[in-house]
Amino acid sequence: MARITLTPAPGQMSASATDVPAFPDERFGFGIPECIGDSARPVWFGGVEPKWEERDGGAFETSGRVEGELEYSALLTPFEDHVDLNMKVTNLSDRDWAHAMAFNCFQCGGALSVGDHECLRHWVGWRGELRRLIEVPRHCGPRPAVQLYGVDGAPPWEDIPFVARFACSPPDVALEGWMAIVSRDGSRLVATVSRPCLCLFQNMEYSCIHASPWMGRLGPGETGTALNRAYFVESSLEAWHARMVTEMAEEG
């Protein structure tokens, strides 16, 4: 069974996904992670030099360390219609972290059949229903193309400093921990989902989506883990959602 091909960028916190069976002529990107660590003061991509190592089955592992702050790793494992990003972060600081997180970017703007800069084909789960993202309340901050959302079961976004600082989250909105973009022909979709998920992010400028892995409260020396999965499927949104809910429950 054909697997997605992953190609990391040496020295960078990024990788590409090609040879995707459902999207054979398209290229997708990952920012892994754009930032990571304590949600009150995460380390951004310019503050760490990541290392990449090849693993069996076309998988790659990236890792990095900032003395006195954190060390992390992410194992990217490709399958036929999804890529698993198994995240791990250790608190090397002398502070308690209320919310350990990773901010992983799933870049879809370079895929012509998927890219959606008008946000017309983005979908989320809200109040027990599948909803187009443009139907969900939006609060525009300094960057109108950017939006962050709270997630069901996670702390309110107002209590997450990383999210609150963007000043672009609608009040009283908590979504399921995933976001999808349906292809232009309606027969396929891509999606990102995390278990557990701390927040969602969407940027119309780049047509990128994020479901941020949430690795819990970490004291000094403690380690947290989470799963972030990217889907590339030939499916209706409804069928994929039912499958995803079952799979994420099994992962738990």
Side-chain angles (χ1 to χ4, degrees):
M1 194 175 293
R3 288 182 178 234
I4 295 165
T5 298
L6 297 175
T7 305
Q12 299 181 38
M13 298 165 87
S14 62
S16 63
T18 55
D19 303 322
V20 181
F23 298 89
D25 301 317
E26 305 281 22
R27 180 186 181 279
F28 299 87
F30 295 107
I32 315 157
E34 288 194 343
C35 72
I36 193 165
D38 180 0
S39 70
R41 46 188 289 187
V43 174
W44 284 85
F45 58 85
V48 62
E49 295 184 8
K51 300 176 182 177
W52 286 95
E53 296 184 53
E54 189 170 2
R55 304 299 187 209
D56 293 339
F60 287 87
E61 185 169 19
T62 182
S63 61
R65 181 183 178 97
V66 178
E67 293 296 336
E69 186 62 24
L70 61 82
E71 63 180 2
Y72 76 90
S73 65
L75 177 63
L76 283 68
T77 306
F79 298 90
E80 182 181 18
D81 68 357
H82 64 280
V83 175
D84 279 354
L85 290 73
N86 285 283
M87 309 293 302
K88 181 186 295 185
V89 67
T90 299
N91 179 358
L92 300 182
S93 77
D94 58 4
R95 318 183 305 277
D96 284 331
W97 297 358
H99 311 296
M101 63 170 291
F103 195 56
N104 295 337
C105 180
F106 184 20
Q107 301 154 2
C108 306
L112 295 180
S113 66
V114 174
D116 179 22
H117 301 281
E118 293 77 31
C119 201
L120 300 177
R121 290 177 281 104
H122 284 58
W123 287 81
V124 294
W126 186 40
R127 296 177 176 174
E129 298 181 352
L130 303 179
R131 302 286 289 270
R132 290 200 301 165
L133 190 57
I134 58 172
E135 298 173 347
V136 176
R138 192 175 185 92
H139 174 73
C140 292
R143 298 171 59 193
V146 168
Q147 193 80 171
L148 280 123
Y149 297 90
V151 170
D152 287 329
W157 67 259
E158 295 92 338
D159 296 340
I160 306 168
F162 174 83
V163 178
R165 279 195 291 264
F166 276 84
C168 62
S169 300
D172 303 319
V173 173
L175 306 177
E176 295 180 15
W178 62 270
M179 190 175 291
I181 305 177
V182 173
S183 64
R184 295 180 188 277
D185 65 9
S187 67
R188 298 166 292 169
L189 63 88
V190 298
T192 180
V193 55
S194 285
R195 182 178 177 88
C197 184
L198 183 62
C199 62
L200 298 174
F201 174 88
Q202 172 261 329
N203 187 338
M204 287 189 285
E205 183 177 358
Y206 298 105
S207 192
C208 68
I209 53 179
H210 302 221
S212 291
W214 178 23
M215 290 163 280
R217 185 181 187 92
L218 298 182
E222 293 183 333
T223 298
T225 62
L227 170 66
N228 183 201
R229 178 172 292 173
Y231 284 93
F232 309 79
V233 297
E234 291 190 64
S235 174
S236 69
L237 182 70
E238 293 77 10
W240 167 79
H241 183 261
R243 167 193 165 182
M244 179 272 294
V245 169
T246 298
E247 290 180 348
M248 288 297 106
E250 291 172 351
E251 292 291 345

